Amino acid sequence: MKIHGSCHLRARSLRLTWLGGSAVVAMLAAPAAAQEDGTSTADIIVTGSRIASPALTSPSPLQVLTSETLENNGIVNIQDALQQNPAIGLPGLSRTTTANTTNPGLSTVNLRNLGPDRTLVLIDGRRSVAGVPGTAQVDLSMIPTPFVERVDVLTGGASAVYGSDAVAGVVNFIYKKKFEGVLLNAQAGISERGDDRQMVVNGTFGHNFADGRGNFMIYGGYVKEGAVDARSRSFSARDYTSLGTIQRVAGNSDANLTAAQNIFTPFYNPSNVGPGGIFVIGSQTNRVIQPDGTFRAYNAATDGWNRAEWGLLASPSERITFAGRVNFDVNDSVNVFTEVTYSNVVTKGRMEASPMRTDSALGAFTGTNGFYPIQSRVLVPGGNGATVLVNNPFVPQAVLDAATDRTGDGLKDLSFLLRTTAFAPGTRTIPTERDNFRAVLGTTVDLGSSWKFDAYYQYGFTKQNQSMSGLANLYNLAEGLQVITDVYDFDRDGSTTDAVCANADARARGCVPINVYGAGKLTQEMVDYLEVSMQRNSKQSMHVAAANLTGTLFNLPGGPVQIAVGAEYRKEESRDIFDPLTNAARNGYVQLTDTAGSFDVKEAYGELVVPILSDTPFFQSLTLRGAARMSDYSTVGTFYAWNAGVEWAPVEDIRFRAVYAHAVRAPNIGELFAAQAAGIVTITDPCQGITLSTQGAIADNCRAVPGILANIQQNGSFTLTQADLSGVGGITAANPDIREETGKTLTLGVVINPRSIPALRNLTFTADYFDIRLEDAISRVPAATVLNKCYREGLADFCQFVTRRTEASGAYSIGSVEQVVRGLINSGGSFSRGLDFTLNYSHQLFGGTASLSGAWTHLLKNGFRALTGDPYDNTMGELGTPRDSVNLGINWANDDFGITINNEYMGPQVLDYENFQTLYRLADGSVPDSKYFRIKSKIYTDMQIRFTSIANFEFFMGAKNMFDVKRPPVWGGLPGNVNGTYDVLGRRFYTGVRVKL
């Protein structure tokens, strides 16, 4: 498909918000009429098919987003435009969900909320290399937005046409193919709060050569997006927890009604782990050492540390992109082309200062529950093996006197957990650089008699270099904490009163004695000895070679029987390499292990379109479609995908369509080859609040754990701190026996375009029913499932994956969860069923063109089964999966002026019922009214105005979230991804200019 540029900048009608524009959808509905109007009859390939035909129809629901839409909405990152599509769910990764993680700046897409691994991202119908190590997820921030001609969003399984991963559907970025002239763009933006500063500058140059037989295009762009600090918004400036989660009583109690009523009430709940640390001293837990050497119990009002203010709501980034395309007709039958794109993204995440601990799998003393000696037996030089007991001189006398021997080695010991705020700049920073490269070389050959051949080779890679500062070398911490007074002048400095490391080998390695006994005790020398940065280097690469043959087999009364056959070879490699301390869980924060692997796949496919009838009463057209693909993976073997469909137009104004697809997704490299790793997760503990008198199976199962029982006996109920719930070790186990998953998709729809009625010929309405069933879904068992299986259902097979503390350690309470192992499995499946409606209309009005477009998705079912045989877990209407999502766009434009208003509606949502609401049961066993767990609907409005009265220039300005709609009050302890669901940045403004010569 050749797209010719124009040297004139014309005023635009509504540039197709999510439904595509009226003109495009009308073409999909009635191609014959388009030909009669004199539009191009050139063969066009529609996303979802490999067959080229002027009869441009889509058997599956297809929504189109054009370059004009991107311009009219001031889009900087193309993910922002995609997220306005009601068919697209929560982003797996986005600028506002990754700023406080080890993946800052990534952007992915998630059709139908089935997971980003089940949405296949294409560029011009060809796969793109992944941007997330070990996955098939493409980083959308690498897509050069101004280079995009349109985006096709195909919902429904498409594995038969495109291969693995197209279970939920396909997002196909169509790049501009032929452009002549110069196009320059500049845009700047800022939020109402003075942050989120954005600057965009790019240019495109295109030129024909060889008497129009060839064309080349080059593009260069620069984008800068500023940081948004968490402290700059009231909802994220402090460590807020839901008051209701604190008030909740375990078991059945009418007190839970009050708790439910306070679910959305914030309660300041700072971390008990601050710069001065929190200690276990003898039998006394949660102790703070004061400047005078005495110690006392932790007091949240005076000792609490506000983690929230140090993080980011949105990470900053700078992006440079270059792209080029050369297209040349060798003769009337042969065309060759090459495309190259390169993007470089630099971003920096930020998190609060890291915890530095002595206990757990991420602590310095893993074999002693985090306790380490503050006394040492020192050999007397020349004493024939005699030893003398020497105390740690840094430990205050009051602490030493109160300490006891908790490990049974005859030495007094302590455990602690503190923040590394002494490590400059007092936070963890995560500088990250990513490079993405893609090159394609291909040819198309017109063989005559409707037969065409095309082939291409593509190579791409994504490289990432990342670090995280502010971490601690636990090997050095373990050695540096064991300190003695140098009574025998081991360091030969002439002093017998200074502090030295107790271990002689450690001293030989340059060990520095560490003093953590009170805020401000760490010196720069100590910091230099302890501080390390995590290092990560990853690379994904993809080689693809493919060939396709399309043409007409023969003619039927309804038209030509068309076929497409092809073969494809693909090889993918991924490596994700970390520094040795991170591999060994010795950086105090996380364990990430090296993952490297590869696979190749050989595929063959065929597609057939059979027009049965046309131009007969009640059968303007009747067409059958089918496609099948065989995939032979080097990892999981051979499997098949297929689809079958029918289209029936009783008259030219109405077309019915139906498609059934059997789609398949093979496990990716990370799912097959990743080793076990450890990180930090937040949990809801089903045992929290249980007392000695609480009745029921859950209470019995919880009290059977010695640590939980001891906690209840100490506190009256099972009591946990913020650290106990948000500092849980999450172990991700690999599964080399994981197998492919299968998706079964049914779509039934109608397209109405009343072209026979002049006043309505620009109206297009579509309605589609979809039903997606995902079987053997590859997923990681949620921590909530593991805990509920163990304590709610009493299944010992799951209790083995939960480790609880047998005694208090550092900031952690006795009985709290130390770690949860989360295995990778083929689960019981996922389900999504609903209705999609789209409406587009344009009409001449008040001397210009007025346009209306809307899209509405209404869910009928959405949920999953965590494990085979488990009861269905409904997610429809829960946070992140609204039952109703609507996008409505209004536009008016003439030759001098244009205005676009876009509205996004998200229906009311509730908090997770099965795993959260049911924790609030009343005395009679019922759950409080769902209104207490409901989040109200939200409407976001964006607007842009444009001035086009000066030839070749367009000036524009706009606002996003124009009415400054606030983020809902979803506080800590509540389930769901609130920052991925709602706008968290508030009202923002932008302005810019476009020049086309």
Side-chain angles (χ1 to χ4, degrees), residues 45-103:
I45 296 177
V46 179
T47 297
S49 174
R50 297 283 189 182
I51 292 177
S53 170
L56 179 64
T57 63
S58 173
S60 296
L62 179 66
Q63 299 183 36
V64 181
L65 173 70
T66 68
S67 58
E68 290 87 351
T69 304
L70 301 177
E71 293 175 358
N72 290 357
N73 286 275
I75 299 299
V76 174
N77 187 327
I78 207 162
Q79 183 192 52
D80 295 337
L82 289 172
Q83 285 305 129
Q84 294 180 2
N85 185 340
I88 292 178
L90 282 174
L93 300 167
S94 71
R95 185 167 168 250
T96 58
T97 61
T98 61
N100 296 326
T101 72
T102 55
N103 289 307

Side-chain angles (χ1 to χ4, degrees), residues 525-745:
E525 182 185 19
M526 298 174 189
V527 169
D528 293 342
Y529 178 63
L530 292 175
E531 186 175 12
V532 293
S533 293
M534 180 187 78
Q535 301 296 324
R536 179 185 192 183
N537 296 281
S538 61
K539 182 178 180 180
Q540 298 82 245
S541 63
M542 175 189 290
H543 298 263
V544 182
N548 304 282
L549 178 67
T550 65
T552 298
L553 292 176
F554 53 86
N555 289 304
L556 292 176
V561 176
Q562 296 175 292
I563 189 173
V565 294
E568 180 176 308
Y569 172 80
R570 185 170 86 253
K571 182 177 179 62
E572 295 190 35
E573 298 175 291
S574 178
R575 68 171 188 267
D576 202 10
I577 308 300
F578 299 86
D579 62 274
L581 290 177
T582 301
N583 279 165
R586 306 307 287 168
N587 63 18
Y589 169 60
V590 70
Q591 179 187 34
L592 296 170
T593 49
D594 294 347
T595 297
S598 65
F599 68 83
D600 61 60
V601 56
K602 307 176 188 71
E603 298 182 288
Y605 84 94
E607 182 182 359
L608 189 66
V609 176
V610 182
I612 304 298
L613 295 170
S614 67
D615 298 323
T616 61
F618 301 107
F619 290 96
Q620 178 71 22
S621 67
L622 177 64
T623 303
L624 302 181
R625 295 173 175 264
R629 176 178 289 257
M630 181 193 72
S631 302
D632 181 16
Y633 277 79
S634 60
T635 51
V636 294
T638 302
F639 54 78
Y640 301 87
W642 57 272
N643 68 44
V646 59
E647 295 175 87
W648 170 47
V651 295
E652 68 171 353
D653 294 352
I654 302 175
R655 177 167 58 92
F656 297 95
R657 58 192 180 189
V659 175
Y660 180 83
H662 177 94
V664 183
R665 183 177 82 86
N668 58 44
I669 291 173
E671 291 164 339
L672 285 169
F673 301 107
Q676 180 171 295
I680 302 297
V681 298
T682 297
I683 66 166
T684 296
D685 195 325
C687 297
Q688 186 176 7
I690 283 175
T691 67
L692 291 174
S693 60
T694 303
Q695 301 297 309
I698 297 177
D700 293 340
N701 293 332
C702 293
R703 285 193 297 262
V705 179
I708 294 177
L709 181 60
N711 184 304
I712 295 172
Q713 292 169 338
Q714 288 177 11
N715 301 294
S717 66
F718 185 47
T719 304
L720 299 172
T721 67
Q722 185 198 70
D724 293 328
L725 297 173
S726 61
V728 177
I731 307 297
T732 55
N735 183 357
D737 298 323
I738 205 77
R739 60 186 190 277
E740 71 273 10
E741 63 184 27
T742 301
K744 298 178 180 179
T745 303

Side-chain angles (χ1 to χ4, degrees), residues 248-524:
R248 180 180 67 84
V249 176
N252 298 352
S253 171
D254 285 337
N256 282 331
L257 178 59
T258 300
Q261 292 169 338
N262 288 322
I263 281 292
F264 297 114
T265 300
F267 175 78
Y268 180 53
N269 187 24
S271 172
N272 61 342
V273 181
I278 202 85
F279 290 79
V280 174
I281 303 172
S283 61
Q284 303 177 72
T285 61
N286 283 312
R287 289 320 192 228
V288 175
I289 298 176
Q290 302 188 98
D292 63 359
T294 60
F295 64 91
R296 57 173 173 77
Y298 166 81
N299 184 327
T302 57
D303 303 320
W305 191 72
N306 183 19
R307 299 173 308 161
E309 66 174 312
W310 303 102
L312 290 174
L313 278 177
S315 55
S317 68
E318 289 188 76
R319 182 165 69 250
I320 299 175
T321 304
F322 298 99
R325 191 179 198 277
V326 178
N327 178 64
F328 183 70
D329 294 330
V330 178
N331 54 42
D332 291 341
S333 301
V334 179
N335 174 270
V336 294
F337 65 91
T338 184
E339 299 173 1
V340 176
T341 57
Y342 168 77
S343 294
N344 172 267
V345 176
V346 177
T347 183
K348 181 182 289 187
R350 190 178 73 218
M351 303 171 67
E352 78 279 3
S354 177
M356 185 167 68
R357 68 190 74 193
T358 59
D359 86 319
S360 83
L362 298 173
F365 297 90
T366 57
T368 60
N369 288 320
F371 289 94
Y372 67 95
I374 54 175
Q375 297 176 315
S376 300
R377 296 184 181 91
V378 179
L379 284 171
V380 178
N384 296 321
T387 62
V388 61
L389 190 66
V390 180
N391 297 328
N392 184 328
F394 292 148
V395 178
Q397 190 63 46
V399 175
L400 183 66
D401 292 343
T404 60
D405 175 20
R406 299 289 295 266
T407 62
D409 62 358
L411 303 174
K412 291 186 174 184
D413 42 45
L414 301 172
S415 74
F416 70 84
L417 195 155
L418 59 76
R419 295 281 174 186
T420 58
T421 53
F423 296 5
T427 60
R428 283 170 285 180
T429 59
I430 312 156
T432 303
E433 182 174 9
R434 299 186 184 94
D435 293 286
N436 176 272
F437 174 80
R438 171 181 173 270
V440 184
L441 178 64
T443 183
T444 60
V445 181
D446 188 340
L447 302 175
S449 299
S450 81
W451 288 91
K452 294 181 180 179
F453 172 81
D454 69 88
Y456 71 89
Y457 167 75
Q458 175 179 283
Y459 171 70
F461 70 79
T462 300
K463 293 194 300 183
Q464 176 177 273
N465 294 302
Q466 183 184 78
S467 65
M468 176 187 284
S469 67
L471 305 182
N473 183 327
L474 296 188
Y475 293 119
N476 288 358
L477 178 63
E479 292 182 341
L481 285 173
Q482 299 178 73
V483 181
I484 59 173
T485 302
D486 192 9
V487 292
Y488 297 113
D489 194 19
F490 290 120
D491 61 4
R492 299 293 187 267
D493 66 352
S495 172
T496 59
T497 59
D498 54 344
V500 296
C501 296
N503 184 279
D505 291 337
R507 293 196 297 270
R509 290 191 293 268
C511 178
V512 175
I514 301 300
N515 184 355
V516 295
Y517 308 103
K521 296 294 186 180
L522 284 173
T523 66
Q524 189 58 50

